[in-house]
Every structure is written in structure tokens, then in C-alpha cells.
Amino acid sequence: MNPGATPENGRVAEPSETQDSSARPPNNRRLGARHLEGLAILLLIWLVGEVAMELAGLPVPGSVAGMVLLLVGLSSGAVHLSWVESAADTILLYLGLLFVPPGVGLIVHLDLLRAQWLPITLSTVVGTLAVLAATAWAVELLAARSDGEGRKA
Amino acid sequence: MDPLTNQPAFGAALTVAVYALFTLLYRRLTHPLVHPVFLSIVTLIVVLLAADIPFEDYDRGGSVVSFFLGPAVVALAVPLYRNRHEVRRHFLPIAAAVLVGAVTAVVVTLLLARLLDATDVTLRSLAPRSVTTAIAVGISEELAGIPSVTAGVVVLTGVLTAVVGVPFLVLIRVRHSIAVGLAMGTAGHGVGTARAMEESPLIGAVAGLAIGLHGLVASVLLPLLVPVLVS
């Protein structure tokens, strides 16, 4: 009907048109499959991380253990980057959103926050700034030194 | 209201809608104080209080959204892997700086809170403030704090880091990408990492690494340090 409709001219194909053999639907289908494949791998690795930490009796969250597992998998070649990268990039776009419900959970502690607001808020604010500065300065100091040695060597 | 707020779709729809709204606003203004995570949390708390909706009702949908934190944290391995050469080259400074950050967090927090007459149990609950929630809750139990209070201050710390972290680091003239990422992750765990991800994939990846390293260091260090600091 409209053979000139390409992604370049910014025109979104109507559902009826997608049945034509243009390049878009197979691409979408392939991307969808990639996303699902990646999500399945991420969920599976999370599960392995949770079970491993429970069996080991460590207080480390299974998801953090899973991050290490996936890194080892990618580095060793057991997991190909292309299997997980589209799902990982997509989910990380929404990382902020995922922290909103736990944040709303603060509502349960409003009484304690009110009763001890001064020590809690002041130590949190000053403590956070101190950690930011101390960590960042430590990296800059130590990385600059190792860079310098690297160049000399 | 019950038949409405009881539905898992209620909390999920409300969360995504409010976040989407503030994301639009953030794109227009890009002021650190309009950060969507911070504004969404404040708005939702006000809405729940004003409409007298119990948190348990909201969380039926909220927990569906936050469920995806699991695969998202695993996914942090991808930017970390892409930047593996940069990270490996600086691994020693990274490990040392997380240790410095972890000690600073507990010492500054507890000394200041003590000075301001915090109760013993508040001190113990505050100690793992900068550690990622699941690890912080475990440490809090071990320290005889109140785990749910710890979970609350952990979130507070993360949101604060997301809002003030990057402008503060610019102010004190920190430029090294690894320094920015590591500071955001060490101080503000996952929430700080989400904000760091907006800066660059390398900064986000290093922040994600800092969550794990800080959790590890704190699990060993805090049970030793906190009894000395609160006594």
C-alpha cells in the first residue's frame, strides 16, 4: 500500500501493513525473543544466586551473588554477551522505578523518624557527604598514583 | 476504597504513573531536586497518608514492581563486563576506596548520632545505613538493631545520595569516572547506582560493583566496629 514507508521517514506502520513482508516485523520479533531469552537467563541466575547464598548461609543478597555469577559467566565465555545484553540494557533503564515501592515503605517508620529525627537525618546527611568525599578522594589519590607508575613502567 | 486499593494493579499502576509523570518533568528541568525517584516516593507517601490507604494494600502492587530489582541487579554485570578492562586496571584503588568509604560511613554516622543523643537501638539500626537493603538488614539483626528501621534509613540514604551525590561530587571537583561511580555506589547502594547509571554506563557499572564490595566489607567490619563505637 505504501512501499515507501521506511523507518527513516519516521512513519509508524499500521498493524494491517505489518503483515507485508517489510523488514520491521521480523526485527521486532527477533528483539522480542532476545529480550525474553535474556530475561530468562537473568531470572535463572538470580535464582541460582539466591539458592547458593541460602545454602552457604551468607547474608549476601542472591541478586548481588547473581551479578558476580553473570560476570564470571561472561568473562569465561559460558554466557555470550548477545544473549543477555538487550534484556539487561532495557531493565537497567528502569532501575530507578524499581526502588520507588521500597522507598514508599518509609511510611511505616514515620513515627520513629519523627521521634529521633535530628540524630537520624543529620547523621545520614553528614555521613553520606563524608562517604561520597572519602570514597571519591581515595580513588583519585590511589588511581592517580597507579596511573603514574603505569606510565613510568 | 478497599475494593479498589486491594487490587495489585492499584499499587502498580499508581507507582508507574507517578514515576512516568516525574520522569517527563525531570527531562524538561534536569534539576537534581526534581529527581523522579525522590519525588515519586514523596508523592506516593503523601497520597497514601491523605487517602488513608494502608501500606500493605499499596505494596500488593508495589512489590510486583520492585520484584524486578532481582534481575536488574544481576543485569549490572553487563555494563561491568563491557568496562572490565578499565575496572581491572583500577581494581586495587577500587577495593581500597570501598574500605575507606565503609569505615567513614559507620564512624561518622555513629559518632554524630551519639553526639545528638540517639538511643542505643537507633545507633545499632543506623550503622549499616549505606549498605544495600538485604545485607543491611542481616547486619542490623546481628548488631541487635531493628531491621525494619534499618531498611527505612537505607532507603533514606539511597534517595539522599541520588539527589545530592552528583552535584556534591562536582562541587568538590571529583572528575574521575571511577571515583564518581564508586562514591555513588558505596554511599547510596542501589538507588545511588540507578542515578549513577544516568551519568554513563561505566559510572553505573562501577557503582554496581561498589554495592557488592561494600556489602562484603560491611558484613565483616561492622560486627567488630559497632560494639566499640556505641559503648
Side-chain angles (χ1 to χ4, degrees), chain A residues 46 61 67 70 85 88-89 92 97-101 103 105-106 109 112 116 123-124 128-129 131-132 134-135 139-140 147, chain B residues 19 55 62 65-66 68 74 77 82 89-90 97 101 105 109 119 122 129 135 148-149 152 155 161 168 175-176 190 208:
Chain A
W46 179 28
M67 174 176 79
L70 178 56
E85 66 178 342
D89 289 340
L92 287 176
L97 167 68
L98 310 183
F99 283 104
V100 172
L106 270 178
H109 305 293
L112 184 108
Q116 296 240 300
S123 68
T124 299
T128 299
L129 296 180
V131 177
L132 284 165
T135 311
V139 176
E140 292 210 319
D147 277 357
Chain B
Y19 187 78
F55 176 69
V65 175
S66 54
F68 287 93
V74 177
R82 287 195 188 118
R89 201 159 68 87
H90 293 292
T109 302
T119 60
T122 302
R129 202 175 46 75
I135 302 182
S148 67
V149 172
V155 171
T161 307
F168 176 71
R175 286 198 190 85
H176 206 294

Side-chain angles (χ1 to χ4, degrees), chain A residues 24-103:
Chain A
R24 285 185 68 131
N27 269 346
N28 284 341
R29 225 174 290 148
R30 209 175 308 148
L31 186 64
R34 278 280 182 234
H35 275 145
L36 282 180
E37 202 178 278
L39 183 61
I41 293 171
L42 293 176
L43 288 169
L44 203 69
I45 292 176
W46 179 28
L47 177 67
V48 172
E50 289 289 349
V51 173
M53 289 306 104
E54 192 147 341
L55 290 178
L58 292 173
V60 177
S63 55
V64 174
M67 174 176 79
V68 176
L69 272 175
L70 178 56
L71 190 64
V72 170
L74 288 166
S75 304
S76 67
V79 180
H80 283 262
L81 186 60
S82 63
W83 297 349
V84 289
E85 66 178 342
S86 71
D89 289 340
T90 306
I91 201 166
L92 287 176
L93 273 178
Y94 305 106
L95 191 57
L97 167 68
L98 310 183
F99 283 104
V100 172

Side-chain angles (χ1 to χ4, degrees), chain B residues 55-69:
Chain B
F55 176 69
E56 295 73 43
D57 276 13
Y58 161 79
D59 204 41
R60 253 170 253 221
S63 59
V64 175
V65 175
S66 54
F67 167 83
F68 287 93
L69 273 175

Side-chain angles (χ1 to χ4, degrees), chain B residues 101-114:
Chain B
V103 173
T104 306
V106 61
V107 170
V108 173
T109 302
L110 293 192
L111 290 186
L112 194 62
R114 259 187 88 163

Side-chain angles (χ1 to χ4, degrees), chain B residues 8-9 13 27 32 37 45-46 48 54 58 60 70 72 84 90 99-100 110 125 159-160 199 208 223-224 226 231:
Chain B
R27 259 188 221 145
V37 176
I45 288 179
V46 170
L48 296 192
Y58 161 79
R60 253 170 253 221
R84 62 195 176 280
H90 293 292
L99 186 66
V100 168
L110 293 192
S125 310
V159 171
L160 181 76
E199 293 297 301
L224 301 172
V226 173
S231 64

